[in-house]
Short mmCIF file of all heavy atoms in Angstrom, two decimals:
data_model
loop_
_atom_site.label_atom_id
_atom_site.label_comp_id
_atom_site.label_asym_id
_atom_site.label_seq_id
_atom_site.Cartn_x
_atom_site.Cartn_y
_atom_site.Cartn_z
N GLN B 300 101.79 109.80 134.17
CA GLN B 300 100.65 110.47 133.56
C GLN B 300 100.21 109.72 132.32
O GLN B 300 101.00 109.44 131.42
CB GLN B 300 101.02 111.92 133.19
CG GLN B 300 99.87 112.74 132.67
CD GLN B 300 98.94 113.21 133.78
OE1 GLN B 300 99.39 113.59 134.86
NE2 GLN B 300 97.64 113.17 133.52
N LEU B 301 98.92 109.36 132.26
CA LEU B 301 98.34 108.70 131.09
C LEU B 301 97.08 109.47 130.72
O LEU B 301 96.04 109.34 131.38
CB LEU B 301 97.96 107.25 131.39
CG LEU B 301 99.09 106.26 131.63
CD1 LEU B 301 98.50 104.91 132.02
CD2 LEU B 301 99.95 106.11 130.39
N ALA B 302 97.18 110.28 129.66
CA ALA B 302 96.04 111.11 129.23
C ALA B 302 95.53 111.91 130.43
O ALA B 302 96.28 112.70 130.99
CB ALA B 302 94.95 110.24 128.62
N ASN B 303 94.29 111.68 130.87
CA ASN B 303 93.74 112.50 131.96
C ASN B 303 93.71 111.75 133.30
O ASN B 303 92.93 112.07 134.19
CB ASN B 303 92.32 112.96 131.62
CG ASN B 303 91.37 111.80 131.37
OD1 ASN B 303 91.82 110.69 131.15
ND2 ASN B 303 90.08 112.07 131.41
N ILE B 304 94.56 110.73 133.44
CA ILE B 304 94.69 110.04 134.73
C ILE B 304 96.16 109.87 135.08
O ILE B 304 97.05 110.04 134.23
CB ILE B 304 93.99 108.66 134.71
CG1 ILE B 304 94.68 107.72 133.70
CG2 ILE B 304 92.52 108.79 134.39
CD1 ILE B 304 95.31 106.53 134.32
N GLU B 305 96.40 109.56 136.33
CA GLU B 305 97.76 109.23 136.79
C GLU B 305 97.74 107.85 137.43
O GLU B 305 96.76 107.45 138.05
CB GLU B 305 98.24 110.24 137.84
CG GLU B 305 98.48 111.63 137.31
CD GLU B 305 98.89 112.59 138.42
OE1 GLU B 305 98.66 112.27 139.62
OE2 GLU B 305 99.41 113.67 138.10
N ILE B 306 98.83 107.10 137.24
CA ILE B 306 99.06 105.87 137.99
C ILE B 306 100.04 106.22 139.10
O ILE B 306 101.15 106.68 138.83
CB ILE B 306 99.63 104.75 137.11
CG1 ILE B 306 98.75 104.51 135.88
CG2 ILE B 306 99.79 103.48 137.92
CD1 ILE B 306 97.36 104.04 136.20
N ARG B 307 99.60 106.00 140.36
CA ARG B 307 100.44 106.38 141.49
C ARG B 307 100.56 105.22 142.46
O ARG B 307 99.74 104.30 142.46
CB ARG B 307 99.86 107.62 142.19
CG ARG B 307 99.72 108.80 141.27
CD ARG B 307 99.23 110.03 141.97
NE ARG B 307 100.19 110.53 142.94
CZ ARG B 307 100.16 111.76 143.45
NH1 ARG B 307 99.22 112.62 143.08
NH2 ARG B 307 101.04 112.15 144.33
N ARG B 308 101.61 105.28 143.28
CA ARG B 308 101.80 104.28 144.32
C ARG B 308 101.64 104.96 145.67
O ARG B 308 102.14 106.06 145.90
CB ARG B 308 103.19 103.67 144.24
CG ARG B 308 103.36 102.45 145.13
CD ARG B 308 104.82 102.15 145.40
NE ARG B 308 105.41 103.16 146.29
CZ ARG B 308 106.72 103.34 146.44
NH1 ARG B 308 107.56 102.63 145.74
NH2 ARG B 308 107.17 104.26 147.26
N PHE B 309 100.93 104.27 146.55
CA PHE B 309 100.85 104.73 147.94
C PHE B 309 100.99 103.50 148.81
O PHE B 309 100.26 102.51 148.66
CB PHE B 309 99.52 105.43 148.21
CG PHE B 309 99.39 105.96 149.62
CD1 PHE B 309 100.11 107.08 150.01
CD2 PHE B 309 98.58 105.33 150.54
CE1 PHE B 309 100.01 107.56 151.32
CE2 PHE B 309 98.47 105.80 151.84
CZ PHE B 309 99.19 106.93 152.22
N LEU B 310 101.95 103.56 149.74
CA LEU B 310 102.30 102.42 150.55
C LEU B 310 102.56 101.23 149.64
O LEU B 310 103.42 101.29 148.80
CB LEU B 310 101.19 102.14 151.57
CG LEU B 310 100.94 103.28 152.59
CD1 LEU B 310 99.84 102.93 153.55
CD2 LEU B 310 102.23 103.62 153.34
N GLU B 311 101.81 100.16 149.71
CA GLU B 311 102.12 98.96 148.92
C GLU B 311 101.05 98.69 147.87
O GLU B 311 100.70 97.52 147.62
CB GLU B 311 102.26 97.75 149.84
CG GLU B 311 103.52 97.77 150.70
CD GLU B 311 104.79 97.79 149.83
OE1 GLU B 311 104.83 97.06 148.83
OE2 GLU B 311 105.71 98.53 150.18
N ALA B 312 100.54 99.74 147.24
CA ALA B 312 99.49 99.53 146.24
C ALA B 312 99.61 100.53 145.11
O ALA B 312 100.14 101.65 145.28
CB ALA B 312 98.11 99.63 146.89
N LEU B 313 99.09 100.13 143.93
CA LEU B 313 99.00 101.01 142.77
C LEU B 313 97.58 101.57 142.70
O LEU B 313 96.60 100.84 142.90
CB LEU B 313 99.29 100.24 141.48
CG LEU B 313 100.73 99.81 141.24
CD1 LEU B 313 100.80 98.91 140.02
CD2 LEU B 313 101.63 101.03 141.06
N TYR B 314 97.48 102.87 142.40
CA TYR B 314 96.19 103.54 142.34
C TYR B 314 96.01 104.24 141.00
O TYR B 314 96.98 104.72 140.40
CB TYR B 314 96.07 104.61 143.44
CG TYR B 314 95.91 104.05 144.84
CD1 TYR B 314 97.02 103.66 145.58
CD2 TYR B 314 94.65 103.93 145.42
CE1 TYR B 314 96.88 103.17 146.87
CE2 TYR B 314 94.50 103.44 146.71
CZ TYR B 314 95.62 103.06 147.43
OH TYR B 314 95.47 102.57 148.71
N ILE B 315 94.76 104.33 140.56
CA ILE B 315 94.38 105.17 139.43
C ILE B 315 93.85 106.48 140.00
O ILE B 315 92.87 106.48 140.75
CB ILE B 315 93.30 104.49 138.56
CG1 ILE B 315 93.86 103.22 137.91
CG2 ILE B 315 92.78 105.45 137.49
CD1 ILE B 315 92.80 102.36 137.25
N VAL B 316 94.49 107.57 139.66
CA VAL B 316 94.10 108.88 140.18
C VAL B 316 93.59 109.72 139.01
O VAL B 316 94.32 110.00 138.07
CB VAL B 316 95.28 109.59 140.88
CG1 VAL B 316 94.83 110.92 141.44
CG2 VAL B 316 95.83 108.70 142.00
N ARG B 317 92.33 110.11 139.09
CA ARG B 317 91.71 110.85 137.99
C ARG B 317 91.91 112.35 138.17
O ARG B 317 92.33 112.82 139.23
CB ARG B 317 90.23 110.49 137.89
CG ARG B 317 90.02 109.00 137.66
CD ARG B 317 88.56 108.62 137.51
NE ARG B 317 88.41 107.18 137.51
CZ ARG B 317 88.53 106.42 136.44
NH1 ARG B 317 88.79 106.97 135.26
NH2 ARG B 317 88.39 105.11 136.51
N ASP B 318 91.60 113.09 137.13
CA ASP B 318 91.74 114.54 137.14
C ASP B 318 90.54 115.13 137.87
O ASP B 318 89.47 115.34 137.29
CB ASP B 318 91.80 115.06 135.69
CG ASP B 318 92.12 116.53 135.62
OD1 ASP B 318 92.49 117.12 136.66
OD2 ASP B 318 91.98 117.12 134.54
N PHE B 319 90.70 115.40 139.18
CA PHE B 319 89.59 115.81 140.01
C PHE B 319 89.39 117.32 140.00
O PHE B 319 90.33 118.10 139.81
CB PHE B 319 89.81 115.37 141.46
CG PHE B 319 89.97 113.89 141.63
CD1 PHE B 319 91.04 113.36 142.34
CD2 PHE B 319 89.05 113.02 141.09
CE1 PHE B 319 91.18 112.00 142.51
CE2 PHE B 319 89.18 111.65 141.25
CZ PHE B 319 90.25 111.14 141.96
N GLN B 320 88.15 117.74 140.25
CA GLN B 320 87.88 119.16 140.43
C GLN B 320 88.18 119.55 141.87
O GLN B 320 88.13 118.73 142.79
CB GLN B 320 86.41 119.48 140.11
CG GLN B 320 85.42 118.93 141.13
CD GLN B 320 83.97 119.23 140.78
OE1 GLN B 320 83.44 118.74 139.80
NE2 GLN B 320 83.34 120.04 141.60
N SER B 321 88.50 120.84 142.08
CA SER B 321 88.77 121.32 143.44
C SER B 321 87.46 121.42 144.22
O SER B 321 86.45 121.93 143.73
CB SER B 321 89.43 122.70 143.37
OG SER B 321 89.53 123.25 144.69
N LEU B 322 87.51 120.92 145.46
CA LEU B 322 86.33 120.97 146.33
C LEU B 322 86.56 121.88 147.53
O LEU B 322 85.81 121.84 148.51
CB LEU B 322 86.00 119.56 146.82
CG LEU B 322 85.79 118.49 145.73
CD1 LEU B 322 85.51 117.14 146.37
CD2 LEU B 322 84.66 118.88 144.80
N ALA B 323 87.58 122.73 147.43
CA ALA B 323 87.98 123.56 148.58
C ALA B 323 86.85 124.46 149.07
O ALA B 323 86.73 124.71 150.28
CB ALA B 323 89.20 124.41 148.21
N ASN B 324 86.01 124.95 148.16
CA ASN B 324 84.96 125.89 148.56
C ASN B 324 83.57 125.25 148.63
O ASN B 324 82.57 125.94 148.82
CB ASN B 324 84.92 127.07 147.59
CG ASN B 324 86.22 127.86 147.59
OD1 ASN B 324 86.79 128.11 148.66
ND2 ASN B 324 86.70 128.23 146.41
N TRP B 325 83.53 123.92 148.47
CA TRP B 325 82.23 123.24 148.46
C TRP B 325 81.77 122.99 149.89
O TRP B 325 82.53 122.54 150.75
CB TRP B 325 82.34 121.92 147.73
CG TRP B 325 81.01 121.24 147.48
CD1 TRP B 325 80.23 121.36 146.38
CD2 TRP B 325 80.33 120.34 148.37
NE1 TRP B 325 79.10 120.59 146.51
CE2 TRP B 325 79.13 119.95 147.73
CE3 TRP B 325 80.61 119.84 149.64
CZ2 TRP B 325 78.21 119.08 148.31
CZ3 TRP B 325 79.71 118.97 150.24
CH2 TRP B 325 78.52 118.60 149.57
N ASN B 326 80.51 123.26 150.19
CA ASN B 326 79.91 122.88 151.47
C ASN B 326 78.41 122.75 151.29
O ASN B 326 77.82 123.37 150.40
CB ASN B 326 80.25 123.88 152.58
CG ASN B 326 79.60 125.23 152.35
OD1 ASN B 326 78.44 125.44 152.71
ND2 ASN B 326 80.35 126.15 151.73
N LYS B 327 77.80 121.93 152.14
CA LYS B 327 76.36 121.70 152.02
C LYS B 327 75.79 121.30 153.38
O LYS B 327 76.39 120.52 154.10
CB LYS B 327 76.08 120.60 151.00
CG LYS B 327 74.62 120.49 150.58
CD LYS B 327 74.48 119.52 149.41
CE LYS B 327 73.04 119.48 148.91
NZ LYS B 327 72.92 118.55 147.76
N ASP B 328 74.63 121.85 153.70
CA ASP B 328 73.95 121.48 154.94
C ASP B 328 73.49 120.03 154.85
O ASP B 328 73.15 119.53 153.77
CB ASP B 328 72.74 122.38 155.19
CG ASP B 328 73.13 123.83 155.44
OD1 ASP B 328 74.29 124.07 155.83
OD2 ASP B 328 72.28 124.72 155.25
N ILE B 329 73.47 119.35 155.98
CA ILE B 329 73.01 117.96 156.02
C ILE B 329 72.04 117.80 157.18
O ILE B 329 72.22 118.42 158.25
CB ILE B 329 74.21 116.98 156.14
CG1 ILE B 329 73.72 115.53 156.01
CG2 ILE B 329 74.99 117.19 157.41
CD1 ILE B 329 74.86 114.50 155.87
N HIS B 330 71.00 116.98 156.97
CA HIS B 330 69.97 116.75 157.98
C HIS B 330 69.75 115.25 158.14
O HIS B 330 70.00 114.47 157.22
CB HIS B 330 68.66 117.43 157.56
CG HIS B 330 68.82 118.89 157.24
ND1 HIS B 330 68.89 119.86 158.23
CD2 HIS B 330 68.96 119.53 156.05
CE1 HIS B 330 69.04 121.05 157.65
NE2 HIS B 330 69.10 120.87 156.33
N PHE B 331 69.29 114.87 159.30
CA PHE B 331 69.08 113.46 159.59
C PHE B 331 68.12 112.81 158.60
O PHE B 331 67.10 113.39 158.22
CB PHE B 331 68.54 113.28 161.02
CG PHE B 331 69.62 113.27 162.07
CD1 PHE B 331 69.99 114.43 162.72
CD2 PHE B 331 70.29 112.09 162.37
CE1 PHE B 331 70.99 114.44 163.67
CE2 PHE B 331 71.29 112.08 163.33
CZ PHE B 331 71.65 113.25 163.97
N GLU B 332 68.48 111.60 158.17
CA GLU B 332 67.67 110.76 157.28
C GLU B 332 67.48 111.34 155.88
O GLU B 332 66.67 110.83 155.11
CB GLU B 332 66.29 110.45 157.90
CG GLU B 332 66.30 110.07 159.37
CD GLU B 332 67.11 108.81 159.67
OE1 GLU B 332 67.36 108.03 158.74
OE2 GLU B 332 67.49 108.64 160.85
N GLN B 333 68.21 112.41 155.54
CA GLN B 333 68.10 113.01 154.21
C GLN B 333 69.45 112.88 153.50
O GLN B 333 70.42 113.53 153.90
CB GLN B 333 67.69 114.48 154.30
CG GLN B 333 66.32 114.70 154.90
CD GLN B 333 65.96 116.16 154.96
OE1 GLN B 333 66.47 116.99 154.19
NE2 GLN B 333 65.07 116.51 155.88
N PRO B 334 69.53 112.03 152.46
CA PRO B 334 70.82 111.85 151.76
C PRO B 334 71.37 113.18 151.23
O PRO B 334 70.63 114.00 150.68
CB PRO B 334 70.46 110.90 150.62
CG PRO B 334 69.24 110.18 151.09
CD PRO B 334 68.47 111.20 151.90
N CYS B 335 72.65 113.36 151.43
CA CYS B 335 73.35 114.55 150.94
C CYS B 335 74.19 114.13 149.74
O CYS B 335 75.12 113.33 149.88
CB CYS B 335 74.22 115.12 152.06
SG CYS B 335 75.28 116.50 151.55
N LEU B 336 73.87 114.66 148.54
CA LEU B 336 74.60 114.31 147.32
C LEU B 336 75.94 115.05 147.29
O LEU B 336 75.99 116.28 147.37
CB LEU B 336 73.76 114.68 146.10
CG LEU B 336 74.37 114.33 144.73
CD1 LEU B 336 74.52 112.82 144.59
CD2 LEU B 336 73.51 114.89 143.61
N LEU B 337 77.00 114.27 147.14
CA LEU B 337 78.35 114.86 147.11
C LEU B 337 78.75 115.19 145.67
O LEU B 337 78.24 114.58 144.72
CB LEU B 337 79.35 113.87 147.71
CG LEU B 337 79.10 113.47 149.17
CD1 LEU B 337 80.15 112.46 149.61
CD2 LEU B 337 79.11 114.70 150.08
N PRO B 338 79.67 116.13 145.50
CA PRO B 338 80.08 116.53 144.15
C PRO B 338 81.06 115.54 143.52
O PRO B 338 81.60 114.64 144.19
CB PRO B 338 80.77 117.88 144.40
CG PRO B 338 81.35 117.74 145.78
CD PRO B 338 80.34 116.92 146.55
N ASP B 339 81.27 115.70 142.22
CA ASP B 339 82.33 114.99 141.49
C ASP B 339 82.26 113.47 141.64
O ASP B 339 83.27 112.79 141.81
CB ASP B 339 83.70 115.50 141.95
CG ASP B 339 84.75 115.41 140.84
OD1 ASP B 339 84.35 115.30 139.67
OD2 ASP B 339 85.95 115.44 141.15
#
Side-chain angles (χ1 to χ4, degrees):
Q300 185 77 40
L301 292 175
N303 59 343
I304 64 116
E305 292 177 343
I306 305 297
R307 302 184 67 163
R308 191 199 71 197
F309 182 73
L310 298 180
E311 289 299 318
L313 289 172
Y314 288 84
I315 295 169
V316 181
R317 301 182 189 275
D318 187 11
F319 301 129
Q320 70 181 66
S321 172
L322 305 178
N324 298 318
W325 189 93
N326 68 84
K327 192 171 184 179
D328 294 339
I329 187 170
H330 307 280
F331 276 93
E332 316 299 341
Q333 297 180 24
C335 174
L336 182 64
L337 300 178
D339 210 18

